Amino acid sequence: MDLYLPIAELSVNVFVFLAMGAAVGFLSGMFGVGGGFLITPLLIFSGIPSAVAVGTGAAQTVASSVSGAIAQYRRNNVDVKMGFLLLMGGIVGAIIGVQVVKLLRQIGQFDLFISLAYVFFLGSIGTLMMIESLNAVRRSFSANQATTAIRRSHHNWIHGLPLKMRFHRSRLYISAIPPVMIGAFVGLLGAIMGVGGGFIMVPAMIYLLRMRTGLVIGTSLFQILFVTAATTVLQTTQNYNVDIVLALILMVGGVIGAQFGAVAGEKLKGEQLRFLLAGLVILVCLRMGWDLVVMPTELFSISGITGGSH
Amino acid sequence: MGLRELNESVRVWWTEVRASEVGRIFTVRNIALAVAAVLIVLAIAFSWPKSEKAPQPKSPSESAAKAPAKPQPAPETQPKAKSEPGTITTTPPLATAPARRGTSVGRETVEADVSTRSVSITSNFSGTEIVVFGAVDDSHQETAEAGIYDVVVVVEGTQVPLVARRKSNVAGIWINTESVKFERVPSYYAIASTRPIEEIADERVLRTQQIGFTHVPMMPDPTTKSQLKEKELEQFRDAVIRLKKDDGLFIKKPYGVAFIGKALFRTSIDLPANVPVGPLTTKVYLFRDGSLLADYEAHVTLQREGMEAFLHSFAFDRPFLYGLFAVFLAVTAGLAASAFFRRRGGAH
């Protein structure tokens, strides 16, 4: 069944994109990740203009983070004050990011930029995860279960910053600058790459802000929900690149796939999952990088004045 | 079950990671991020196109950026009269035309029309076909096969500005380096004829009438024109034609027009699924012995309809509300999914 997408201005096969949404939903359910970093490249590979892929990715992330955020809030796993600071930073980052998207589309470098961003972030994070999971697998084989004490030095450079605030929920007394900066960076990435940004924010909150893991998950979901919602609105007003029809198809496929993915994920061990996820991340990275380094069959491209690449 | 569980698995995922392990990773990651930022800045600096030194956000392109990127359909503003067949214009025989025999000199005219005056793009639009048919008035042709007349049918979309870019290898990476901005390029151009147009008339006639891909008006923007050699410009122009052909937006059917009787002819023109929305102009040219006898113009409107028109104008006319609606839809979908799967007890 073909459906004409109003914003992408293409006729696509609904089942192909339902399947794509379901596949990514399966993987995100299995690995417990947002899936934005998978759906956006897949959309680009399948011929959706990259700007539309990014805008639609943001809308889809809203759908996949909303119920998680509410559940975490109910379990009192959200540090609202911290979340609010992250959110403020995130919205500033998103505003800048959307403008960056607009500018890059005008000068015709958006495709390049998004490929570089993906290659870089997926490459580095995939590699680190791969190393970590291999080490974990090796350790579990050698049966050395001695857990090293958590290094949690209470004083790092973060504590030297001004504007200190007390975060009761997280039992922290730190400067407001790092949360805002982290939020802004993640918001910027979200707008440019069409991702939620949990893969950056979660480690940053754990190791820079020294927050408890449980709180980190809840608070980051809270931030991701609102920032991706804000990004969606910003993208529609600035770049007109959110395709509701496409987003809806992906969401439907995604939520169904996620159910089966979660079941499959329970059958695998944590380090196996992380190893597989790392492999997947690296594959996407390589696929993106391949297009950058291999001589394209067609050196020319045409586009309208604001973008919408071909 | 649902995204709640999905989220639960995130939590498990992270709590399972022993803090010391990730702590070690994170320092590496931290360094990597810093290197990344530097690399990306360098990459952008590298990739900045030389031919567009000043992105001039305040130039006309800014206003173009504000306005929707696509040609506006504006279905209501399309005057009704425009979809009526145009007027007959008899072109006086060109002075350079070869001498014509017989009594028919300059007497024939052509009339034509299009099967569908208004094509609507709806949610299930996957391309369509329009039939252009017409007749030669005062035909001196005995049979359809006589081949005295040549008919060329050109269907042209609106002329829009377009940027063509060329990639080149910079430090091992293929990036857009040169670009040419064309002020007006037809968004769609289909040409059907009784035989290849080169056989129908000579270069000069085709050029004056702007028939054929190579004669499509494609003026580069004055600012980029001066910076490029004519030969390079030609490459860009060829590339635009080639890419438009690949997209199915430039179509050539050298034997697409067929005479059915001594006066009647018809052709079908494909409108692919990606045809840009906007009015189409259909021009029919009647040739005999290499000279243009008459031409005729008809119009086709191509507009979004139904859900398609609604969503598109929603997105471009009320972008803020559209954005809120998209968020609302996403939130509803997420909540509905989690509620549904929770009630079912999950897929455990």
Side-chain angles (χ1 to χ4, degrees), chain A residues 72 76-79 82-83 86 152 169-170 172 198 200-224, chain B residues 7 10-11 14-15:
Chain A
Q72 292 288 350
N76 203 15
N77 274 344
V78 178
D79 182 335
M82 179 70 80
L86 287 166
R152 194 168 272 206
R169 188 76 193 81
S170 314
L172 285 174
I200 300 283
M201 192 157 46
V202 169
M205 285 164 80
I206 294 178
Y207 295 101
L208 285 179
L209 305 183
R210 311 271 190 217
M211 278 173 74
R212 253 198 322 118
T213 313
L215 274 177
V216 164
I217 302 295
T219 311
S220 68
L221 264 171
F222 173 85
Q223 195 261 8
I224 287 171
Chain B
N7 174 61
V10 182
R11 206 177 61 79
W14 276 106
T15 42

mmCIF file of all heavy atoms in Angstrom, chain A residues 72 76-79 82-83 86 152 169-170 172 198 200-224, chain B residues 7 10-11 14-15:
data_model
loop_
_atom_site.group_PDB
_atom_site.id
_atom_site.type_symbol
_atom_site.label_atom_id
_atom_site.label_comp_id
_atom_site.label_asym_id
_atom_site.label_seq_id
_atom_site.Cartn_x
_atom_site.Cartn_y
_atom_site.Cartn_z
ATOM 1 N N GLN A 72 8.516 6.750 35.479
ATOM 2 C CA GLN A 72 9.616 7.125 36.367
ATOM 3 C C GLN A 72 9.199 8.214 37.340
ATOM 4 O O GLN A 72 9.601 8.231 38.490
ATOM 5 C CB GLN A 72 10.811 7.610 35.530
ATOM 6 C CG GLN A 72 11.488 6.536 34.711
ATOM 7 C CD GLN A 72 12.279 5.570 35.562
ATOM 8 O OE1 GLN A 72 12.480 5.787 36.755
ATOM 9 N NE2 GLN A 72 12.715 4.482 34.966
ATOM 10 N N ASN A 76 8.865 8.310 41.634
ATOM 11 C CA ASN A 76 9.666 9.325 42.293
ATOM 12 C C ASN A 76 11.138 9.212 41.899
ATOM 13 O O ASN A 76 12.037 9.434 42.707
ATOM 14 C CB ASN A 76 9.506 9.201 43.823
ATOM 15 C CG ASN A 76 9.838 10.516 44.494
ATOM 16 O OD1 ASN A 76 9.909 11.557 43.826
ATOM 17 N ND2 ASN A 76 10.065 10.472 45.792
ATOM 18 N N ASN A 77 11.379 8.862 40.653
ATOM 19 C CA ASN A 77 12.754 8.734 40.166
ATOM 20 C C ASN A 77 13.215 9.949 39.371
ATOM 21 O O ASN A 77 14.187 9.885 38.651
ATOM 22 C CB ASN A 77 12.876 7.491 39.280
ATOM 23 C CG ASN A 77 13.142 6.261 40.105
ATOM 24 O OD1 ASN A 77 13.529 6.372 41.270
ATOM 25 N ND2 ASN A 77 12.933 5.107 39.519
ATOM 26 N N VAL A 78 12.458 11.040 39.466
ATOM 27 C CA VAL A 78 12.839 12.234 38.712
ATOM 28 C C VAL A 78 13.227 13.331 39.691
ATOM 29 O O VAL A 78 12.481 13.652 40.599
ATOM 30 C CB VAL A 78 11.669 12.718 37.822
ATOM 31 C CG1 VAL A 78 12.055 13.991 37.081
ATOM 32 C CG2 VAL A 78 11.265 11.646 36.841
ATOM 33 N N ASP A 79 14.434 13.857 39.519
ATOM 34 C CA ASP A 79 14.833 15.038 40.271
ATOM 35 C C ASP A 79 14.356 16.241 39.451
ATOM 36 O O ASP A 79 14.989 16.632 38.467
ATOM 37 C CB ASP A 79 16.350 15.067 40.443
ATOM 38 C CG ASP A 79 16.802 16.254 41.272
ATOM 39 O OD1 ASP A 79 16.070 17.259 41.316
ATOM 40 O OD2 ASP A 79 17.882 16.170 41.864
ATOM 41 N N MET A 82 16.692 19.288 39.037
ATOM 42 C CA MET A 82 17.784 18.973 38.110
ATOM 43 C C MET A 82 17.241 18.867 36.680
ATOM 44 O O MET A 82 17.814 19.410 35.730
ATOM 45 C CB MET A 82 18.422 17.639 38.527
ATOM 46 C CG MET A 82 19.546 17.173 37.645
ATOM 47 S SD MET A 82 21.003 18.198 37.810
ATOM 48 C CE MET A 82 21.702 17.551 39.323
ATOM 49 N N GLY A 83 16.105 18.181 36.559
ATOM 50 C CA GLY A 83 15.485 18.016 35.244
ATOM 51 C C GLY A 83 15.152 19.350 34.624
ATOM 52 O O GLY A 83 15.320 19.548 33.417
ATOM 53 N N LEU A 86 18.339 20.939 33.315
ATOM 54 C CA LEU A 86 18.725 20.231 32.084
ATOM 55 C C LEU A 86 17.820 20.650 30.939
ATOM 56 O O LEU A 86 18.256 20.857 29.809
ATOM 57 C CB LEU A 86 18.611 18.719 32.283
ATOM 58 C CG LEU A 86 19.656 18.039 33.153
ATOM 59 C CD1 LEU A 86 19.202 16.646 33.511
ATOM 60 C CD2 LEU A 86 20.988 17.981 32.425
ATOM 61 N N ARG A 152 34.147 7.302 43.993
ATOM 62 C CA ARG A 152 33.255 8.453 43.941
ATOM 63 C C ARG A 152 33.911 9.582 44.720
ATOM 64 O O ARG A 152 33.538 9.900 45.847
ATOM 65 C CB ARG A 152 31.899 8.068 44.522
ATOM 66 C CG ARG A 152 30.846 9.100 44.188
ATOM 67 C CD ARG A 152 29.478 8.579 44.498
ATOM 68 N NE ARG A 152 28.906 7.854 43.379
ATOM 69 C CZ ARG A 152 27.599 7.742 43.187
ATOM 70 N NH1 ARG A 152 26.749 8.276 44.014
ATOM 71 N NH2 ARG A 152 27.155 7.071 42.166
ATOM 72 N N ARG A 169 16.600 16.067 46.047
ATOM 73 C CA ARG A 169 16.279 14.717 45.593
ATOM 74 C C ARG A 169 17.554 13.922 45.302
ATOM 75 O O ARG A 169 17.642 12.743 45.612
ATOM 76 C CB ARG A 169 15.389 14.814 44.343
ATOM 77 C CG ARG A 169 14.820 13.525 43.862
ATOM 78 C CD ARG A 169 13.658 13.069 44.735
ATOM 79 N NE ARG A 169 13.330 11.685 44.448
ATOM 80 C CZ ARG A 169 14.006 10.655 44.955
ATOM 81 N NH1 ARG A 169 15.019 10.862 45.764
ATOM 82 N NH2 ARG A 169 13.654 9.418 44.657
ATOM 83 N N SER A 170 18.539 14.568 44.693
ATOM 84 C CA SER A 170 19.768 13.855 44.352
ATOM 85 C C SER A 170 20.799 13.923 45.468
ATOM 86 O O SER A 170 21.873 13.357 45.340
ATOM 87 C CB SER A 170 20.388 14.454 43.091
ATOM 88 O OG SER A 170 19.425 14.640 42.106
ATOM 89 N N LEU A 172 22.623 16.475 46.317
ATOM 90 C CA LEU A 172 23.815 17.081 45.721
ATOM 91 C C LEU A 172 23.829 18.562 46.024
ATOM 92 O O LEU A 172 22.773 19.185 46.166
ATOM 93 C CB LEU A 172 23.795 16.916 44.191
ATOM 94 C CG LEU A 172 24.112 15.551 43.610
ATOM 95 C CD1 LEU A 172 23.885 15.580 42.117
ATOM 96 C CD2 LEU A 172 25.538 15.130 43.922
ATOM 97 N N GLY A 198 20.091 10.259 25.069
ATOM 98 C CA GLY A 198 20.328 9.553 26.322
ATOM 99 C C GLY A 198 21.721 8.958 26.397
ATOM 100 O O GLY A 198 22.331 8.923 27.465
ATOM 101 N N ILE A 200 24.445 10.148 25.575
ATOM 102 C CA ILE A 200 25.429 11.114 26.052
ATOM 103 C C ILE A 200 25.078 11.554 27.474
ATOM 104 O O ILE A 200 25.936 11.646 28.345
ATOM 105 C CB ILE A 200 25.435 12.384 25.154
ATOM 106 C CG1 ILE A 200 25.778 12.056 23.725
ATOM 107 C CG2 ILE A 200 26.380 13.442 25.717
ATOM 108 C CD1 ILE A 200 27.221 11.797 23.475
ATOM 109 N N MET A 201 23.776 11.792 27.681
ATOM 110 C CA MET A 201 23.351 12.405 28.930
ATOM 111 C C MET A 201 23.506 11.461 30.114
ATOM 112 O O MET A 201 23.932 11.891 31.192
ATOM 113 C CB MET A 201 21.899 12.855 28.808
ATOM 114 C CG MET A 201 21.477 13.750 29.933
ATOM 115 S SD MET A 201 20.103 14.777 29.490
ATOM 116 C CE MET A 201 19.040 13.622 28.712
ATOM 117 N N VAL A 202 23.159 10.186 29.922
ATOM 118 C CA VAL A 202 23.200 9.254 31.050
ATOM 119 C C VAL A 202 24.619 9.140 31.632
ATOM 120 O O VAL A 202 24.813 9.384 32.819
ATOM 121 C CB VAL A 202 22.590 7.897 30.674
ATOM 122 C CG1 VAL A 202 22.868 6.859 31.733
ATOM 123 C CG2 VAL A 202 21.093 8.046 30.460
ATOM 124 N N PRO A 203 25.632 8.843 30.819
ATOM 125 C CA PRO A 203 26.971 8.797 31.415
ATOM 126 C C PRO A 203 27.417 10.146 31.965
ATOM 127 O O PRO A 203 28.072 10.194 33.016
ATOM 128 C CB PRO A 203 27.874 8.342 30.266
ATOM 129 C CG PRO A 203 27.067 8.403 29.044
ATOM 130 C CD PRO A 203 25.646 8.397 29.428
ATOM 131 N N ALA A 204 27.041 11.231 31.307
ATOM 132 C CA ALA A 204 27.467 12.535 31.793
ATOM 133 C C ALA A 204 26.881 12.823 33.167
ATOM 134 O O ALA A 204 27.562 13.344 34.053
ATOM 135 C CB ALA A 204 27.048 13.634 30.810
ATOM 136 N N MET A 205 25.635 12.456 33.377
ATOM 137 C CA MET A 205 25.010 12.714 34.667
ATOM 138 C C MET A 205 25.597 11.822 35.751
ATOM 139 O O MET A 205 25.752 12.236 36.893
ATOM 140 C CB MET A 205 23.491 12.511 34.575
ATOM 141 C CG MET A 205 22.791 13.654 33.859
ATOM 142 S SD MET A 205 21.146 13.212 33.347
ATOM 143 C CE MET A 205 20.252 13.418 34.872
ATOM 144 N N ILE A 206 25.912 10.589 35.382
ATOM 145 C CA ILE A 206 26.462 9.676 36.388
ATOM 146 C C ILE A 206 27.867 10.116 36.792
ATOM 147 O O ILE A 206 28.198 10.173 37.973
ATOM 148 C CB ILE A 206 26.478 8.223 35.864
ATOM 149 C CG1 ILE A 206 25.048 7.725 35.663
ATOM 150 C CG2 ILE A 206 27.221 7.307 36.825
ATOM 151 C CD1 ILE A 206 24.948 6.335 35.116
ATOM 152 N N TYR A 207 28.680 10.456 35.795
ATOM 153 C CA TYR A 207 30.095 10.656 36.120
ATOM 154 C C TYR A 207 30.505 12.106 36.249
ATOM 155 O O TYR A 207 31.550 12.379 36.845
ATOM 156 C CB TYR A 207 30.952 9.899 35.111
ATOM 157 C CG TYR A 207 30.694 8.437 35.292
ATOM 158 C CD1 TYR A 207 29.856 7.740 34.443
ATOM 159 C CD2 TYR A 207 31.194 7.777 36.408
ATOM 160 C CE1 TYR A 207 29.547 6.417 34.657
ATOM 161 C CE2 TYR A 207 30.887 6.450 36.636
ATOM 162 C CZ TYR A 207 30.063 5.776 35.758
ATOM 163 O OH TYR A 207 29.755 4.488 36.002
ATOM 164 N N LEU A 208 29.738 13.017 35.719
ATOM 165 C CA LEU A 208 30.075 14.420 35.946
ATOM 166 C C LEU A 208 29.295 14.965 37.135
ATOM 167 O O LEU A 208 29.835 15.644 37.993
ATOM 168 C CB LEU A 208 29.772 15.268 34.701
ATOM 169 C CG LEU A 208 30.738 15.133 33.534
ATOM 170 C CD1 LEU A 208 30.291 16.017 32.386
ATOM 171 C CD2 LEU A 208 32.151 15.514 33.968
ATOM 172 N N LEU A 209 28.019 14.648 37.178
ATOM 173 C CA LEU A 209 27.187 15.188 38.259
ATOM 174 C C LEU A 209 27.139 14.260 39.464
ATOM 175 O O LEU A 209 26.683 14.640 40.530
ATOM 176 C CB LEU A 209 25.769 15.453 37.760
ATOM 177 C CG LEU A 209 25.628 16.345 36.524
ATOM 178 C CD1 LEU A 209 24.162 16.582 36.203
ATOM 179 C CD2 LEU A 209 26.327 17.674 36.740
ATOM 180 N N ARG A 210 27.584 13.036 39.285
ATOM 181 C CA ARG A 210 27.578 12.033 40.364
ATOM 182 C C ARG A 210 26.184 11.762 40.888
ATOM 183 O O ARG A 210 25.955 11.722 42.094
ATOM 184 C CB ARG A 210 28.458 12.495 41.539
ATOM 185 C CG ARG A 210 29.828 12.983 41.134
ATOM 186 C CD ARG A 210 30.778 11.837 41.111
ATOM 187 N NE ARG A 210 32.153 12.305 40.960
ATOM 188 C CZ ARG A 210 33.053 11.658 40.253
ATOM 189 N NH1 ARG A 210 32.737 10.536 39.641
ATOM 190 N NH2 ARG A 210 34.267 12.107 40.176
ATOM 191 N N MET A 211 25.248 11.620 40.003
ATOM 192 C CA MET A 211 23.883 11.307 40.433
ATOM 193 C C MET A 211 23.697 9.806 40.526
ATOM 194 O O MET A 211 24.397 9.036 39.895
ATOM 195 C CB MET A 211 22.864 11.888 39.443
ATOM 196 C CG MET A 211 22.556 13.344 39.670
ATOM 197 S SD MET A 211 21.511 13.973 38.360
ATOM 198 C CE MET A 211 19.935 13.250 38.777
ATOM 199 N N ARG A 212 22.691 9.418 41.285
ATOM 200 C CA ARG A 212 22.374 7.996 41.407
ATOM 201 C C ARG A 212 21.796 7.493 40.091
ATOM 202 O O ARG A 212 21.007 8.181 39.446
ATOM 203 C CB ARG A 212 21.331 7.799 42.512
ATOM 204 C CG ARG A 212 21.913 7.180 43.762
ATOM 205 C CD ARG A 212 20.856 6.600 44.669
ATOM 206 N NE ARG A 212 19.631 7.354 44.757
ATOM 207 C CZ ARG A 212 18.462 6.876 44.373
ATOM 208 N NH1 ARG A 212 18.374 5.684 43.827
ATOM 209 N NH2 ARG A 212 17.371 7.585 44.523
ATOM 210 N N THR A 213 22.148 6.266 39.719
ATOM 211 C CA THR A 213 21.745 5.740 38.412
ATOM 212 C C THR A 213 20.232 5.760 38.229
ATOM 213 O O THR A 213 19.728 6.158 37.179
ATOM 214 C CB THR A 213 22.264 4.311 38.240
ATOM 215 O OG1 THR A 213 23.628 4.284 38.631
ATOM 216 C CG2 THR A 213 22.150 3.858 36.809
ATOM 217 N N GLY A 214 19.519 5.337 39.267
ATOM 218 C CA GLY A 214 18.060 5.306 39.170
ATOM 219 C C GLY A 214 17.489 6.670 38.858
ATOM 220 O O GLY A 214 16.612 6.820 37.995
ATOM 221 N N LEU A 215 18.012 7.665 39.556
ATOM 222 C CA LEU A 215 17.547 9.027 39.328
ATOM 223 C C LEU A 215 17.964 9.530 37.948
ATOM 224 O O LEU A 215 17.226 10.284 37.308
ATOM 225 C CB LEU A 215 18.132 9.971 40.391
ATOM 226 C CG LEU A 215 17.368 10.092 41.688
ATOM 227 C CD1 LEU A 215 18.115 10.999 42.636
ATOM 228 C CD2 LEU A 215 15.974 10.647 41.426
ATOM 229 N N VAL A 216 19.145 9.127 37.499
ATOM 230 C CA VAL A 216 19.643 9.565 36.197
ATOM 231 C C VAL A 216 18.687 9.146 35.088
ATOM 232 O O VAL A 216 18.326 9.941 34.229
ATOM 233 C CB VAL A 216 21.058 8.992 35.942
ATOM 234 C CG1 VAL A 216 21.432 9.102 34.483
ATOM 235 C CG2 VAL A 216 22.069 9.724 36.802
ATOM 236 N N ILE A 217 18.245 7.873 35.142
ATOM 237 C CA ILE A 217 17.354 7.368 34.100
ATOM 238 C C ILE A 217 16.064 8.178 34.073
ATOM 239 O O ILE A 217 15.626 8.666 33.027
ATOM 240 C CB ILE A 217 17.036 5.874 34.344
ATOM 241 C CG1 ILE A 217 18.304 5.028 34.385
ATOM 242 C CG2 ILE A 217 16.078 5.360 33.266
ATOM 243 C CD1 ILE A 217 19.060 4.970 33.101
ATOM 244 N N GLY A 218 15.455 8.342 35.239
ATOM 245 C CA GLY A 218 14.190 9.071 35.310
ATOM 246 C C GLY A 218 14.347 10.506 34.868
ATOM 247 O O GLY A 218 13.554 11.023 34.071
ATOM 248 N N THR A 219 15.393 11.152 35.401
ATOM 249 C CA THR A 219 15.572 12.567 35.104
ATOM 250 C C THR A 219 15.916 12.782 33.632
ATOM 251 O O THR A 219 15.430 13.727 33.013
ATOM 252 C CB THR A 219 16.678 13.152 36.009
ATOM 253 O OG1 THR A 219 16.407 12.769 37.357
ATOM 254 C CG2 THR A 219 16.715 14.663 35.916
ATOM 255 N N SER A 220 16.728 11.889 33.063
ATOM 256 C CA SER A 220 17.090 12.081 31.656
ATOM 257 C C SER A 220 15.889 11.840 30.755
ATOM 258 O O SER A 220 15.694 12.549 29.773
ATOM 259 C CB SER A 220 18.259 11.180 31.269
ATOM 260 O OG SER A 220 17.860 9.833 31.285
ATOM 261 N N LEU A 221 15.046 10.873 31.134
ATOM 262 C CA LEU A 221 13.832 10.640 30.342
ATOM 263 C C LEU A 221 12.922 11.857 30.380
ATOM 264 O O LEU A 221 12.331 12.249 29.375
ATOM 265 C CB LEU A 221 13.081 9.420 30.865
ATOM 266 C CG LEU A 221 13.374 8.122 30.149
ATOM 267 C CD1 LEU A 221 12.740 6.965 30.891
ATOM 268 C CD2 LEU A 221 12.851 8.157 28.725
ATOM 269 N N PHE A 222 12.821 12.445 31.573
ATOM 270 C CA PHE A 222 12.023 13.653 31.765
ATOM 271 C C PHE A 222 12.538 14.753 30.834
ATOM 272 O O PHE A 222 11.780 15.399 30.115
ATOM 273 C CB PHE A 222 12.158 14.056 33.248
ATOM 274 C CG PHE A 222 11.542 15.370 33.614
ATOM 275 C CD1 PHE A 222 10.195 15.465 33.939
ATOM 276 C CD2 PHE A 222 12.323 16.529 33.688
ATOM 277 C CE1 PHE A 222 9.637 16.674 34.297
ATOM 278 C CE2 PHE A 222 11.768 17.737 34.049
ATOM 279 C CZ PHE A 222 10.415 17.806 34.354
ATOM 280 N N GLN A 223 13.862 14.921 30.836
ATOM 281 C CA GLN A 223 14.447 15.961 29.993
ATOM 282 C C GLN A 223 14.244 15.641 28.509
ATOM 283 O O GLN A 223 13.852 16.501 27.741
ATOM 284 C CB GLN A 223 15.947 16.076 30.316
ATOM 285 C CG GLN A 223 16.604 17.343 29.793
ATOM 286 C CD GLN A 223 17.348 17.137 28.494
ATOM 287 O OE1 GLN A 223 17.261 16.075 27.885
ATOM 288 N NE2 GLN A 223 18.042 18.152 28.036
ATOM 289 N N ILE A 224 14.484 14.367 28.135
ATOM 290 C CA ILE A 224 14.375 13.975 26.724
ATOM 291 C C ILE A 224 12.956 14.214 26.209
ATOM 292 O O ILE A 224 12.758 14.760 25.125
ATOM 293 C CB ILE A 224 14.789 12.496 26.543
ATOM 294 C CG1 ILE A 224 16.301 12.372 26.686
ATOM 295 C CG2 ILE A 224 14.345 11.957 25.190
ATOM 296 C CD1 ILE A 224 16.799 10.950 26.749
ATOM 297 N N ASN B 7 11.647 1.025 29.442
ATOM 298 C CA ASN B 7 12.377 1.964 30.248
ATOM 299 C C ASN B 7 13.015 1.252 31.419
ATOM 300 O O ASN B 7 14.131 1.536 31.824
ATOM 301 C CB ASN B 7 11.392 3.025 30.711
ATOM 302 C CG ASN B 7 12.035 3.946 31.674
ATOM 303 O OD1 ASN B 7 12.986 4.593 31.333
ATOM 304 N ND2 ASN B 7 11.516 3.977 32.865
ATOM 305 N N VAL B 10 16.147 -0.130 30.514
ATOM 306 C CA VAL B 10 17.221 0.855 30.469
ATOM 307 C C VAL B 10 17.873 0.926 31.830
ATOM 308 O O VAL B 10 19.088 0.970 31.976
ATOM 309 C CB VAL B 10 16.679 2.267 30.120
ATOM 310 C CG1 VAL B 10 17.823 3.262 30.036
ATOM 311 C CG2 VAL B 10 15.912 2.238 28.838
ATOM 312 N N ARG B 11 16.991 0.916 32.846
ATOM 313 C CA ARG B 11 17.480 1.063 34.206
ATOM 314 C C ARG B 11 18.366 -0.147 34.554
ATOM 315 O O ARG B 11 19.468 0.011 35.070
ATOM 316 C CB ARG B 11 16.297 1.148 35.167
ATOM 317 C CG ARG B 11 16.612 1.902 36.443
ATOM 318 C CD ARG B 11 15.361 2.012 37.300
ATOM 319 N NE ARG B 11 14.853 0.698 37.680
ATOM 320 C CZ ARG B 11 15.368 -0.036 38.660
ATOM 321 N NH1 ARG B 11 16.399 0.377 39.341
ATOM 322 N NH2 ARG B 11 14.852 -1.204 38.948
ATOM 323 N N TRP B 14 21.710 -0.007 32.944
ATOM 324 C CA TRP B 14 22.709 0.875 33.537
ATOM 325 C C TRP B 14 23.134 0.437 34.926
ATOM 326 O O TRP B 14 24.272 0.633 35.322
ATOM 327 C CB TRP B 14 22.216 2.313 33.564
ATOM 328 C CG TRP B 14 22.483 2.959 32.252
ATOM 329 C CD1 TRP B 14 21.582 3.261 31.297
ATOM 330 C CD2 TRP B 14 23.765 3.327 31.731
ATOM 331 N NE1 TRP B 14 22.213 3.789 30.209
ATOM 332 C CE2 TRP B 14 23.550 3.841 30.443
ATOM 333 C CE3 TRP B 14 25.073 3.266 32.215
ATOM 334 C CZ2 TRP B 14 24.579 4.313 29.652
ATOM 335 C CZ3 TRP B 14 26.100 3.729 31.426
ATOM 336 C CH2 TRP B 14 25.849 4.236 30.158
ATOM 337 N N THR B 15 22.211 -0.123 35.686
ATOM 338 C CA THR B 15 22.630 -0.538 37.025
ATOM 339 C C THR B 15 23.540 -1.748 36.933
ATOM 340 O O THR B 15 24.372 -1.968 37.784
ATOM 341 C CB THR B 15 21.408 -0.860 37.912
ATOM 342 O OG1 THR B 15 20.473 -1.576 37.121
ATOM 343 C CG2 THR B 15 20.762 0.411 38.430
#
